[in-house]
Amino acid sequence: MATTLITGGTVVSATGRANADVLVDGERIVAVLEPGSELLGTDLKSGVDTVIDATGKYVIPGGIDAHTHMELPFGGTAAIDTFETGTRAAAHGGTTSIVDFAVQRYGERVQDGLDAWHAKAAGECAIDYGFHQIVGGVDADAIEAMKTLPDQGVTSFKLFMAYPGVFYSDDAQVLKAMQVSRDTGMLTMMHAENGPAIDVLAEQLIEEGKTDPYFHGIARAWQMEEEATHRAIMLANLTGAPLYVVHVSAKQAVEQLAWARDKGQNVFGETCPQYLYLSLEEQLGASSDEWGAFEGAKWVCSTPLRSREEGHQDAMWQALRTNDLQMVSTDHCPFCMKDQKELGLGDFRKIPNGIGSIEHRMDLMYQGVVTGEITLERWVELTSTTPARMFGMYGQKGVIQPGADADIVVYDPNGHTSIGLDKTHHMAMDHSAWEGYEIDGHVDTVLSRGKVIVDDNAYLGAKGDGRFIKRGLSQYLV
Ligand code: URP
Ligand code: ZN
Ligand code: ZN
């Protein structure tokens, strides 16, 4: 087994930082030592196969992106990143594990959906991967099948209160699925938007000739998110299901989560980089020679970008500090402008929903450290440690300690990353939703289970390096 010593760096965890050397043997971390330590009288540097000099740099557990959609079928097309391209891009950005969503829709078997996702991912991934299960057709068969998922390492499922006719569940279906969540301990993940009401507003906007991408966000008003979040909380309260609300963007939805948490309910929430940095006003102002106002389609996602004037972005950062929101995932769901987003030219309802960010999450969140929005430790907690605990991987993932997988990122706070299509772009989309963003930091070296897969922007891994993560139940539940 190859041994590696990462020496001279500052090891950062969710609870603190320390100057320490990290010793890796094969796929695992075997020791975290005082800098320059000897082991059984041997100078470690000369005794190991590889030495990585991390002087002046942060040594952090690899990022975990717990919300991705490789190849998701949506709006007559499919998300453009495959497990190969998407996980390679993730690796470049310091993410060493993903949890993607297997899909079941009306009339399909849950097990078939999960098997299909295994077939898509096996042998393709650059990094380790797990699955949540989308249940888009809650019926008697689906309910029975859901009960078998935890034994297969799939311990969370996602329901949609949005997208009628696609993935939508009505309240009766949500209630029944939540009863499975209560009985099995699986986490219910919720897309909380009032889909039927949104569809009425969207139709009225189109009839008024308001067809540009910007109106996607007008139809999906914050009231739709607040109302659905409250309803999800109450159904979870009634059934006793643990609830995790995905891609939270409205400050009023956060207030609902905080209210429920303050009462002691097992309710959790994530936000995404787009809801911290981007806004509806910027989407309205977006225009290009190629696309005109349709340029705004690059940022069509659901929940939508919110108004900066109304203060949603500031509220998301605050909620991350106060722990009213516990995690940051990307909701990576990339579509090209050409042939994909352009399906919605003349009708925003037909624009496939989603933004690609898997490569930039660690950097974008580190920029929040630079600007003083979050601490260094909170950065690690939001992007790695809490995702590991929330989704039953902690100990193996999300921490630098003996026995953990050697998923490690050496991050240079004095480095720089310029984001853009011609600069740092390994995702399959034909544009970057983050074009022009400058980051005061850099992912230098990435180890996945002990193997250096990215070094100085060079990819040294191979497809098939990544393995399926059989997850346990959430470690936030007693
Ligand atoms: O716009 C989004 N979020 N697309 C992906 C599907 C979902 O709802 O997460
Ligand atoms: Zn969603
Ligand atoms: Zn999603």
Short mmCIF file of all heavy atoms in Angstrom, two decimals, residues 67 69 158 160 163 191 246-247 302 331, ligand 2:
data_model
loop_
_atom_site.label_atom_id
_atom_site.label_comp_id
_atom_site.label_asym_id
_atom_site.label_seq_id
_atom_site.Cartn_x
_atom_site.Cartn_y
_atom_site.Cartn_z
N HIS A 67 -26.21 17.14 -3.50
CA HIS A 67 -27.38 17.40 -4.36
C HIS A 67 -26.89 17.64 -5.78
O HIS A 67 -26.57 18.77 -6.16
CB HIS A 67 -28.14 18.63 -3.83
CG HIS A 67 -29.44 18.88 -4.52
ND1 HIS A 67 -30.47 19.57 -3.92
CD2 HIS A 67 -29.90 18.56 -5.76
CE1 HIS A 67 -31.49 19.67 -4.76
NE2 HIS A 67 -31.16 19.06 -5.89
N HIS A 69 -27.43 16.24 -10.12
CA HIS A 69 -28.34 15.57 -11.08
C HIS A 69 -27.59 15.27 -12.37
O HIS A 69 -27.74 15.99 -13.36
CB HIS A 69 -29.52 16.48 -11.43
CG HIS A 69 -30.41 16.83 -10.29
ND1 HIS A 69 -31.31 15.95 -9.74
CD2 HIS A 69 -30.58 18.00 -9.60
CE1 HIS A 69 -31.99 16.55 -8.77
NE2 HIS A 69 -31.56 17.79 -8.66
N LYS A 158 -36.44 11.98 -2.34
CA LYS A 158 -36.91 13.33 -2.62
C LYS A 158 -38.31 13.31 -3.21
O LYS A 158 -38.59 12.52 -4.12
CB LYS A 158 -35.95 14.04 -3.59
CG LYS A 158 -36.38 15.49 -3.89
CD LYS A 158 -35.42 16.24 -4.79
CE LYS A 158 -35.93 17.64 -5.09
NZ LYS A 158 -35.15 18.34 -6.11
N PHE A 160 -41.49 16.01 -4.70
CA PHE A 160 -41.66 17.33 -5.33
C PHE A 160 -43.07 17.84 -5.08
O PHE A 160 -44.04 17.17 -5.47
CB PHE A 160 -41.43 17.23 -6.84
CG PHE A 160 -40.01 16.97 -7.26
CD1 PHE A 160 -39.48 15.69 -7.18
CD2 PHE A 160 -39.21 17.99 -7.74
CE1 PHE A 160 -38.17 15.43 -7.56
CE2 PHE A 160 -37.91 17.75 -8.12
CZ PHE A 160 -37.38 16.47 -8.04
N TYR A 163 -43.77 20.94 -10.14
CA TYR A 163 -43.72 20.22 -11.41
C TYR A 163 -44.90 19.22 -11.59
O TYR A 163 -44.69 18.02 -11.78
CB TYR A 163 -42.41 19.45 -11.57
CG TYR A 163 -41.13 20.23 -11.39
CD1 TYR A 163 -40.07 19.69 -10.67
CD2 TYR A 163 -40.94 21.49 -11.96
CE1 TYR A 163 -38.87 20.37 -10.50
CE2 TYR A 163 -39.75 22.19 -11.81
CZ TYR A 163 -38.72 21.62 -11.07
OH TYR A 163 -37.53 22.29 -10.92
N HIS A 191 -38.69 19.20 -2.35
CA HIS A 191 -38.71 20.37 -3.23
C HIS A 191 -39.98 21.12 -2.87
O HIS A 191 -41.08 20.72 -3.26
CB HIS A 191 -38.70 19.94 -4.69
CG HIS A 191 -38.70 21.09 -5.66
ND1 HIS A 191 -37.82 21.18 -6.71
CD2 HIS A 191 -39.47 22.20 -5.73
CE1 HIS A 191 -38.05 22.30 -7.39
NE2 HIS A 191 -39.07 22.93 -6.81
N VAL A 246 -34.71 21.07 0.31
CA VAL A 246 -33.61 21.32 -0.63
C VAL A 246 -33.70 22.72 -1.23
O VAL A 246 -34.74 23.37 -1.19
CB VAL A 246 -33.60 20.27 -1.77
CG1 VAL A 246 -33.29 18.88 -1.23
CG2 VAL A 246 -34.91 20.26 -2.54
N HIS A 247 -32.61 23.15 -1.80
CA HIS A 247 -32.45 24.42 -2.53
C HIS A 247 -33.36 25.55 -2.00
O HIS A 247 -34.18 26.11 -2.73
CB HIS A 247 -32.60 24.24 -4.04
CG HIS A 247 -33.76 23.42 -4.53
ND1 HIS A 247 -35.06 23.65 -4.16
CD2 HIS A 247 -33.82 22.37 -5.39
CE1 HIS A 247 -35.86 22.79 -4.78
NE2 HIS A 247 -35.11 22.00 -5.52
N SER A 302 -35.00 26.11 -10.29
CA SER A 302 -36.10 26.12 -9.32
C SER A 302 -35.64 25.45 -8.03
O SER A 302 -35.12 24.34 -8.10
CB SER A 302 -37.31 25.36 -9.87
OG SER A 302 -37.78 26.02 -11.02
N ASP A 331 -27.06 21.56 -6.25
CA ASP A 331 -28.19 21.27 -7.14
C ASP A 331 -27.70 21.30 -8.58
O ASP A 331 -28.38 21.82 -9.48
CB ASP A 331 -29.34 22.26 -6.90
CG ASP A 331 -30.62 21.82 -7.61
OD1 ASP A 331 -30.68 20.70 -8.11
OD2 ASP A 331 -31.57 22.64 -7.64
ZN ZN B 2 -35.84 20.37 -6.64
#
